Amino acid sequence: MASADIAQKRPAVPSSPEPSTPPESGPKAAEKPESLFLEFWYSLKGNKAAMVSLVVIGILVLIAILTAIVPGILPYDPYAQDLSASFQPPSAAHWFGTDQQGRDIFSRILIGTQVSLSVGLLAVAISLAVGVTLGAIAGYKGGAIDTVIMRIMDMMLAIPSILLAIAFMAALGKGVDKAVIAIGLVSIPEYARIVRSQILSVKENDYVAAARVIGDSDAKIIFRHVLPNVLPSIIVRATLGISGAILDAAALGFLGLGVQPPQAEWGDMLGRGRNYIFSAPYTMIFPGLAITITVLAFNLLGDGIRDAVDPKSRRR
Amino acid sequence: MSKYIVKRIAQSLLVLLGVSIIVFLIMRVFSPDPAPVVLGEHATEDSMKAWRDANGLNDPIPVQYWTFLTGALRGDLGTSYYTHSTVASEIASRFPATIELALVAIIIASAAGIALGVVSAVHKGTAIDATSMVLALVGVSMPIFWLGILLIILFAGMWHILPSGGRVDPLLQPTGGSGLYIIDTLFSGNFAALGNVLQHLILPALALSMYSMAIITRMTRSSMLDTLNEDYVRTARAKGLREKKVTKHHALRNAMLPVTTVIGLQLGSLLGGAVLTETVFAWPGIGKFTVECILKSDFPVVQGVVLLIGVIFVVINLVVDIIYAYLDPRIKYSKEEA
Amino acid sequence: MDSLKPVVSRRKFVEIFGAVSAMGATSMFVSGCGSTSSGSATDTITFGQGADPRGLDPAYVDDGESAKIMCNIYETLLCYDKSSCDIKPCLAKEYKISDDGLTYTLTLEQGVKFHDGTDFNAAAVKKSIERQLEPNRNDDMPYASFVFGTASKGDGVKTVEATDDHTVTITLAAASTPFLKNLAMVLASPIVSPTALDKNNGNLNEAPCGTGPYSFVSWSKGQNVVLKANDSYWNSDKKAKTKNVIFKFISENASRVTALNNGECDIIDGIDDTVVDTIKNAGNSLFDEDGMNINYMAYNTTSSIFSDVNARRAFSKAVDVATLVKSLYGDYASAATSVMPLWMAPYDKDVAQVAYDADAAKKELAALNITQVKCITYSNPRPYNTKGGQVLAEAIQGMLDKVGVKVNIDTYDWTTYKTKVQTEAYDICFYGWTGDNGDPDNFMNLLADSNVSMNVARYDNSAYKALIAEGLATPEGDARNDIYLQCEKMVADQAVWLPISHSKDLAGYNPKVKDFVIHPTGVVWLWGATKSA
């Protein structure tokens, strides 16, 4: 067992990718991709929770896109202040009440979907791109390169990710773009590790050896033969990673290190609302609910995908 | 085995060196200038320049790092820019609070998590299973700070049955000793104080444990299901052993192996989660303090804390690996990669 | 000397004699559920504040959280009156100022001892001050240059001499009217035990030792500072009435309110208007008095847009300060009409800022072709702005939006912000000031300062600077008041700042506690406070 792999910092919701057991979705290169996908889809379709979460995520994405294209569909302008209407409790006019500056909380939560989803997706995209590349290189090349890359990953893992992200934000300044970078950077090591350990187990396989004999280039072997085989576990990790990134973004917002005003971000709204938990609890309850529901949806989906790609867990 | 341990320790030291470089780069090279905050409202350009000179912030970057490193190797982590106290004393006065919170949280998380996990595995597919899985999912999905605030609103704000924050009533505060108040009050036999300490601990520990509890529940369940399907468990069943005995003697022990790993690792990540919990519950620990220091660009403190957490993280990993090796003789060290 | 005395004694004291038995019963119930809380013991008063003190050595700190604690441990040569910034004798029972305003002769109280048993005498005073004079002064003493001056600027204290055991002679480099008030400040000025200084390497941050009514017991970082009554205190008027005082640190505003209502604290500060009802509904009381502060927006007078006074005036017209203040701060801040709060400078009543007129603003701004303005602000709440600079900037952003000007806000954490006001090219920024000593120079000098970190408007006007220099050397009286009135009028006419509000000092307290004093300088005197059962 590769000892370093134990140190997965956030084995977020894994029911099986514990480091001790071999990679759950071992090489199945023999199957055709289409049939694999169909099998996966049927399996996922049978999972009620995953389908519900898929619907929820679909709605969230729809909200994010619609509010971006036609902001007019929002009940109120999420940035329009009306200081005479501050802290109105939930009512027919303002479903979730109004905040300090008299802005409609419901509208702000709807438009905040854009921030949370884009932070979640983009941060994961960064960690994926960098993490997968580094992990693939480390695992495939081995030797000194492997050692250097993985030791750097160890260094990043040894710093609590939230502290690292806070320090990044303090250095970079506020803003969604910077939050994306900070959150994306701190979870690179997790992806690098998963990919590396999977690659280690895949690269000794016959078809990889065969490709090598034919004289395929390293890059071609990695992208053609090795990565497709480790894809399932990366997808599972990435789905769960989105929920982690949304939570991290909310934490940064809560600590006042999130977005630039007047942008609406759920964690930031919650952080501002916490000063009014007695006089205006709705200012923090609804943003908190929005975060929880979104994160829950991605977690459920991640679980569903894992069950679908992992025949072993499907048996259960 | 001992060769393996030596090698791991050497690697760990290298990791710590790297950690110090990362923190140095972020805090010293890219973070805002601490001088205006340190010198306050009456700071002038001249006084700020003098202060930066005196604290070596105008030296070339490599020189600054070298100064820090040689100091750290002598055991001198420097003094806080802001409070002028030594970093060691700033950490020593706050770290026990975080440790106590994290330990209690991990105990709650492990006990509840393992119990829930075993029960759901044994009763797989039933309502009990479904309920605990939903609980676990919600546990990992809720922002810890939100949960904390909700707990405060309910228990302190509305029902007045638990304190809203802090570690202990100041007049009952145990003096000296380990800094772990449960232990200090227990040994001094001051049970009134112990009760007070526990009352203060319960909400933050609960909030902090939620995430880990969810992870442990899921891990235990899946690990139990794996072992319940293993041959030797089937054999035991076939031999006519009662289901309870099978669960207890055969399955549980083997299922605990991966669970141990996760618990060890969760202890590390709890230190990160403590940042938010401490903020919400006014817990006088190192996490909240570090965030404040990051925001004040108080480099020496941040560097000291992160190195300390790094050391703990590395040690936990090492211990977990060794325990693992001990529990699972199948692991061989000869093939250990770099 | 008494020119600053307010017309009416401004500050009321907390003297509420609650229905003792009824309240007692309620609190027994509340704290009974919450277990043994120090809130229920009558010999202990617990004060909840937002953060740890930075330290407890007056030479090394600059923050209000430290000052609130230190003012109960240390004493100064002179001190402020309970309700104003008028000067009264303290450790020095008399003082004499030479006609040229350069030599101060102070006669000290006799028989006073520090908490460690050391005698208080002229040598102790000399040592306390001299450690903060050049060349002993070090870079970490934030208030030393403000209180004791800088040689290179030709101001401040030249020498401190112990003429005899109980007489101290201080010689200034240049006459300075505010110096007397400086001597009463809780930062830098308190007299500390010379023995303790020797023992603690010259820094009493963690081992404070003074002559005050309370002595230091312990400081658990992040939790509390505990003080106990000084039994051998010299001044019977200020002898501590309650045995223990605890300062408890609770960073979240909402948690501090919960702690008060839960009986875990007796007094809390750092609150805003939104929690007032919560506090009152729980049977607790509210203390509010005008504070010595100003919350303002500054125009960058060197920026391309706002170097033009007409642009500044047009922009100011777009902001309805009264409505803004009302909606942001409720009843707990008053809209500012001048830089200094009126109670501090009653002559400011004749000062008027640019009046609100959105229509005129729209026309004028359009005529000046102003469509975009770059604004920087801070995110954290500040004593003069409980809502934080971001909320304030957003409110003004909304008002300017209505007159066709887009305000682009960049918000920074306070630490970063302090650097940004020096380096960033902004058009407007938000800032504030909390008075140190009650002297008008302390406020008006901000606009004459050569340091942009203090003079964020970068106002550079030689006539104004001449007025400030004149005010510094003019003895207190009508002539001096007139100088500062002229300063105020200049600031208003030229619209250098947009003064927004003077925030009130707010505190919530348990009605069983009475006679604590929140002084205009922001410190909390607890020696007179008592708590009934």
Side-chain angles (χ1 to χ4, degrees):
Chain A
M1 199 225 42
S3 64
D5 293 338
I6 280 191
Q8 265 194 46
K9 179 113 130 279
R10 194 205 277 263
V13 214
S15 66
S16 45
E18 71 273 19
S20 64
T21 55
E24 74 269 4
S25 52
K28 332 181 244 278
E31 295 179 64
K32 280 189 188 153
E34 306 91 71
S35 70
L36 247 181
F37 179 78
L38 280 180
E39 192 193 332
F40 160 77
W41 176 243
Y42 286 130
S43 167
L44 190 64
K45 239 169 81 175
N47 185 334
K48 257 186 241 154
M51 290 322 284
V52 170
S53 69
L54 207 55
V55 170
V56 172
I57 292 171
I59 295 174
L60 289 170
V61 171
L62 201 67
I63 292 173
I65 293 175
L66 276 182
T67 52
I69 303 173
V70 254
I73 61 160
L74 290 168
Y76 293 88
D77 177 351
Y79 307 122
Q81 308 190 20
D82 180 1
L83 293 173
S84 61
S86 60
F87 292 128
Q88 295 195 350
S91 63
H94 296 282
W95 290 2
F96 293 175
T98 62
D99 68 2
Q100 165 77 51
Q101 281 120 296
R103 300 177 296 201
D104 182 52
I105 294 179
F106 181 59
S107 303
R108 285 179 71 74
I109 285 185
L110 288 185
I111 203 155
T113 315
Q114 293 174 10
V115 177
S116 289
L117 286 190
S118 48
V119 170
L121 294 172
L122 292 176
V124 168
I126 290 183
S127 359
L128 260 184
V130 183
V132 169
T133 312
L134 289 179
I137 294 173
Y140 189 77
K141 285 283 185 185
I145 294 178
D146 181 25
T147 309
V148 171
I149 292 179
M150 294 322 287
R151 286 301 84 79
I152 292 176
M153 296 296 105
D154 284 351
M155 291 164 195
M156 289 180 68
L157 277 178
I159 307 173
S161 62
I162 184 78
L163 284 185
L164 198 56
I166 292 169
F168 274 130
M169 291 303 284
L172 299 171
K174 282 195 191 192
V176 179
D177 45 344
K178 286 146 189 166
V180 165
I181 295 173
I183 296 167
L185 282 179
V186 299
S187 32
I188 288 174
E190 295 169 45
Y191 294 88
R193 296 195 144 191
I194 293 173
V195 172
R196 174 180 171 277
S197 72
Q198 301 257 305
I199 295 225
L200 281 181
S201 67
V202 169
K203 83 171 178 189
E204 301 309 325
N205 278 345
D206 292 344
Y207 59 90
V208 175
R212 234 183 237 144
V213 172
I214 301 170
D216 282 355
S217 72
D218 282 354
K220 192 171 176 190
I221 295 176
I222 290 181
F223 283 101
R224 211 27 102 61
H225 303 289
V226 181
L227 275 185
N229 281 293
V230 302
L231 206 56
S233 44
I234 296 176
I235 292 174
V236 170
R237 185 63 196 80
T239 315
L240 298 172
I242 293 173
S243 59
I246 292 174
L247 275 181
D248 286 351
L252 288 178
F254 177 75
L255 293 170
L257 293 167
V259 294
Q260 281 290 355
Q263 200 160 21
E265 194 269 334
W266 297 337
D268 184 66
M269 291 166 72
L270 208 167
R272 288 161 174 242
R274 74 183 143 154
N275 281 328
Y276 316 119
I277 59 176
F278 297 112
S279 50
Y282 43 87
T283 53
M284 58 137 310
I285 285 177
F286 292 110
L289 268 179
I291 299 170
T292 307
I293 289 170
T294 310
V295 172
L296 190 60
F298 278 103
N299 277 337
L300 277 173
L301 182 66
D303 275 10
I305 296 179
R306 187 191 41 238
D307 289 352
V309 298
D310 177 10
K312 195 179 80 176
S313 69
R314 211 183 308 154
R315 272 202 317 269
R316 288 170 200 157
Chain B
M1 183 86 180
S2 61
K3 199 175 156 198
Y4 164 72
I5 294 176
V6 169
K7 189 175 173 188
R8 286 298 315 275
I9 291 176
Q11 282 178 1
S12 306
L13 290 177
L14 205 66
V15 166
L16 290 177
L17 186 73
V19 166
S20 76
I21 294 177
I22 293 176
V23 177
F24 181 85
L25 283 178
I26 299 177
M27 293 299 298
R28 267 281 177 82
V29 181
F30 297 113
S31 284
D33 178 15
V37 166
V38 171
L39 297 178
E41 299 290 340
H42 292 279
T44 65
E45 274 98 66
D46 291 342
S47 71
M48 286 190 281
K49 185 181 176 301
W51 183 85
R52 282 192 291 265
D53 282 339
N55 285 277
L57 295 182
N58 286 340
D59 295 345
I61 298 297
V63 175
Q64 289 187 38
Y65 181 71
W66 182 248
T67 314
F68 158 76
L69 190 66
T70 47
L73 288 178
R74 283 195 313 268
D76 175 14
L77 288 168
T79 54
S80 158
Y81 290 159
Y82 190 71
T83 65
H84 314 304
S85 302
T86 63
V87 171
S89 76
E90 291 287 359
I91 293 179
S93 60
R94 292 177 171 90
F95 206 56
T98 302
I99 291 292
E100 185 166 44
L101 178 61
L103 283 178
V104 172
I106 200 71
I107 291 170
I108 295 177
S110 313
I114 292 175
L116 276 177
V118 169
V119 169
S120 358
V122 171
H123 301 277
K124 187 192 144 203
T126 64
I128 301 177
D129 182 21
T131 313
S132 46
M133 283 304 101
V134 168
L135 268 182
L137 257 178
V138 173
V140 289
S141 304
M142 230 193 297
I144 198 169
F145 41 92
W146 190 57
L147 174 66
I149 294 174
L150 293 180
L151 289 175
I152 292 179
I153 294 183
L154 290 180
F155 287 89
M158 287 172 64
W159 300 330
H160 301 290
I161 46 178
L162 287 172
S164 60
R167 267 186 99 183
V168 66
D169 192 289
L171 292 183
L172 293 171
Q173 190 168 319
T175 48
S178 61
L180 304 177
Y181 287 178
I182 294 185
I183 293 178
D184 291 347
T185 50
L186 209 57
F187 274 90
S188 64
N190 187 347
F191 293 105
L194 177 63
N196 189 276
V197 166
L198 291 176
Q199 282 184 338
H200 281 82
L201 242 172
I202 188 156
L203 290 185
L206 202 64
L208 183 56
S209 68
M210 202 51 92
Y211 186 83
S212 303
M213 180 160 76
I215 302 269
I216 294 170
T217 306
R218 296 166 64 98
M219 185 53 120
T220 309
R221 178 178 179 273
S222 93
S223 179
M224 273 299 279
L225 288 175
D226 279 347
T227 44
L228 286 173
N229 280 330
E230 295 276 351
D231 290 344
Y232 58 88
V233 176
R234 292 201 198 131
T235 313
R237 272 203 198 107
K239 282 197 312 201
L241 286 180
R242 283 224 309 278
E243 192 63 28
K244 214 172 194 172
K245 204 169 176 193
V246 172
T247 310
K248 204 170 156 192
H249 289 279
H250 295 265
L252 188 55
R253 186 188 291 178
N254 287 289
M256 279 307 102
L257 197 63
V259 175
T260 317
T261 315
V262 169
I263 292 177
L265 295 175
Q266 283 303 310
L267 193 55
S269 70
L270 277 183
L271 292 174
V275 170
L276 294 162
T277 317
E278 288 176 3
T279 304
V280 171
F281 287 97
W283 192 259
I286 203 76
K288 174 164 134 321
F289 179 65
T290 310
V291 173
E292 288 162 9
C293 290
I294 290 177
L295 298 181
K296 286 184 190 132
S297 295
D298 199 339
F299 163 76
V301 180
V302 177
Q303 180 70 278
V305 172
V306 174
L307 274 182
L308 177 68
I309 294 179
V311 169
I312 293 174
F313 183 82
V314 162
V315 169
I316 288 178
N317 269 318
L318 198 60
V319 171
V320 166
D321 283 4
I322 292 169
I323 291 177
Y324 214 89
Y326 179 76
L327 288 176
D328 188 350
R330 281 174 299 179
I331 297 175
K332 293 200 186 79
Y333 292 97
S334 48
K335 276 181 74 183
E336 195 56 43
E337 98 290 5
Chain C
M1 156 96 274
D2 55 2
S3 62
L4 268 180
K5 186 173 282 175
V7 186
V8 185
S9 178
R10 189 189 64 86
R11 201 149 274 259
K12 67 179 182 232
F13 304 116
V14 182
E15 283 171 21
I16 290 138
F17 301 85
V20 172
S21 52
M23 286 311 299
T26 317
S27 104
M28 287 285 278
F29 173 71
V30 169
S31 59
C33 302
S35 96
T36 44
S37 166
S38 54
S40 53
T42 57
D43 62 352
T44 303
I45 289 179
T46 307
F47 185 97
Q49 64 183 38
D52 275 79
R54 180 174 179 177
L56 295 173
D57 184 327
Y60 284 98
V61 300
D62 64 339
D63 58 318
E65 308 295 16
S66 303
K68 272 181 264 178
I69 302 173
M70 289 192 306
C71 72
N72 293 289
I73 303 175
Y74 297 106
E75 287 176 304
T76 38
L77 292 172
L78 304 170
C79 67
Y80 296 116
D81 187 38
K82 261 193 188 178
S83 55
S84 70
C85 288
D86 293 350
I87 295 299
K88 290 175 65 176
C90 188
L91 284 174
K93 54 187 173 191
E94 283 167 16
Y95 62 91
K96 223 171 64 213
I97 307 172
S98 66
D99 290 341
D100 59 3
L102 293 178
T103 311
Y104 288 62
T105 311
L106 301 113
T107 313
L108 307 182
E109 286 283 351
Q110 302 194 15
V112 179
K113 280 190 189 306
F114 289 99
H115 300 146
D116 60 1
T118 311
D119 287 326
F120 164 79
N121 53 28
V125 175
K126 184 174 158 72
K127 185 156 183 157
S128 260
I129 296 179
E130 271 188 347
R131 68 173 178 146
Q132 298 179 72
L133 300 183
E134 294 158 305
N136 303 333
R137 177 184 301 170
N138 69 43
D139 300 315
D140 288 314
M141 296 175 167
Y143 263 81
S145 59
F146 174 76
V147 172
F148 300 113
T150 319
S152 58
K153 284 167 77 182
D155 63 6
V157 174
K158 211 155 77 181
T159 57
V160 189
E161 293 308 329
T163 318
D164 63 43
D165 213 24
H166 301 290
T167 312
V168 174
T169 310
I170 299 176
T171 315
L172 300 187
S176 165
T177 308
F179 182 67
L180 215 50
K181 284 194 157 57
N182 287 353
L183 284 183
M185 282 173 57
V186 181
L187 301 173
S189 295
I191 308 304
V192 306
S193 160
T195 328
L197 277 181
D198 291 339
K199 234 169 61 185
N200 293 289
N201 239 339
N203 182 332
L204 302 185
N205 261 347
E206 299 192 25
C209 183
T211 59
Y214 281 98
S215 63
F216 174 76
V217 177
S218 66
W219 175 7
S220 311
K221 295 271 174 87
Q223 301 188 65
N224 53 61
V225 164
V226 180
L227 308 181
K228 71 168 195 302
N230 173 9
D231 292 331
S232 46
Y233 185 61
W234 61 279
N235 184 350
S236 56
D237 294 345
K238 289 190 189 172
K239 207 166 164 66
K241 289 189 177 138
T242 301
K243 201 172 133 214
N244 305 301
V245 163
I246 296 170
F247 289 87
K248 207 167 171 176
F249 318 129
I250 307 172
S251 53
E252 297 289 304
N253 287 359
S255 306
R256 226 175 304 124
V257 173
T258 313
L260 173 70
N261 292 346
N262 227 353
E264 297 164 56
C265 287
D266 299 305
I267 313 170
I268 58 167
D269 70 356
I271 52 175
D272 65 20
D273 58 298
T274 58
V275 298
V276 167
D277 288 341
T278 317
I279 288 175
K280 288 184 173 165
N281 291 344
N284 288 312
S285 308
L286 187 76
F287 173 92
D288 70 288
E289 273 297 343
D290 284 341
M292 184 164 59
N293 57 58
I294 174 72
N295 173 28
Y296 65 88
M297 186 192 90
Y299 295 102
N300 181 352
T301 55
T302 63
S303 77
S304 56
I305 300 177
F306 292 121
S307 50
D308 177 6
V309 60
N310 293 322
R312 301 199 292 262
R313 293 184 63 98
F315 193 97
S316 289
K317 279 179 196 167
V319 182
D320 182 358
V321 174
T323 308
L324 180 81
V325 170
K326 184 83 188 157
S327 85
L328 284 186
Y329 312 111
D331 294 334
Y332 304 107
S334 49
T337 53
S338 54
V339 173
M340 288 181 278
L342 280 186
W343 66 264
M344 191 183 142
Y347 43 84
D348 278 356
K349 63 184 188 306
D350 296 333
V351 177
Q353 303 292 327
V354 179
Y356 169 62
D357 184 347
D359 296 335
K362 190 168 187 173
K363 270 183 227 142
E364 290 170 28
L365 288 165
L368 289 160
N369 208 8
I370 297 171
T371 51
Q372 294 235 356
V373 167
K374 181 175 161 57
C375 163
I376 62 172
T377 191
Y378 50 95
S379 53
N380 321 42
R382 304 291 303 162
Y384 39 78
N385 176 6
T386 50
K387 294 286 153 61
Q390 184 172 330
V391 174
L392 176 58
E394 285 170 11
I396 286 182
Q397 184 184 43
M399 289 180 170
L400 266 296
D401 195 46
K402 287 180 186 146
V403 298
V405 175
K406 186 168 165 19
V407 177
N408 302 308
I409 303 174
D410 280 328
T411 309
Y412 302 98
D413 170 74
W414 185 247
T415 306
T416 315
Y417 186 65
K418 302 265 286 186
T419 308
K420 292 286 180 189
V421 292
Q422 297 171 52
T423 57
E424 201 91 329
Y426 54 86
D427 298 314
I428 53 174
C429 76
F430 289 87
Y431 229 61
W433 184 255
T434 304
D436 291 303
N437 55 10
D439 193 276
D441 178 70
N442 185 235
F443 275 76
M444 304 315 292
N445 202 348
L446 291 172
L447 287 146
D449 208 298
S450 56
N451 289 295
V452 291
S453 56
M454 261 177 271
N455 185 359
V456 290
R458 299 180 166 136
Y459 187 54
D460 185 6
N461 181 311
S462 48
Y464 187 86
K465 283 181 175 167
L467 280 174
I468 292 293
E470 199 187 336
L472 201 58
T474 309
E476 293 197 4
D478 289 343
R480 192 165 192 253
N481 291 350
D482 191 55
I483 291 170
Y484 290 111
L485 179 59
Q486 285 184 54
C487 288
E488 284 275 18
K489 285 188 166 158
M490 261 180 102
V491 176
D493 289 343
Q494 307 225 347
V496 187
W497 285 5
L498 176 63
I500 292 166
S501 64
H502 304 294
S503 104
K504 292 193 177 187
D505 293 333
L506 285 190
Y509 66 98
N510 182 330
K512 287 181 294 176
V513 178
K514 35 186 200 265
D515 296 341
F516 67 89
V517 173
I518 298 182
H519 191 263
T521 52
V523 298
V524 181
W525 292 339
L526 289 174
W527 57 79
T530 54
K531 186 167 149 192
S532 51

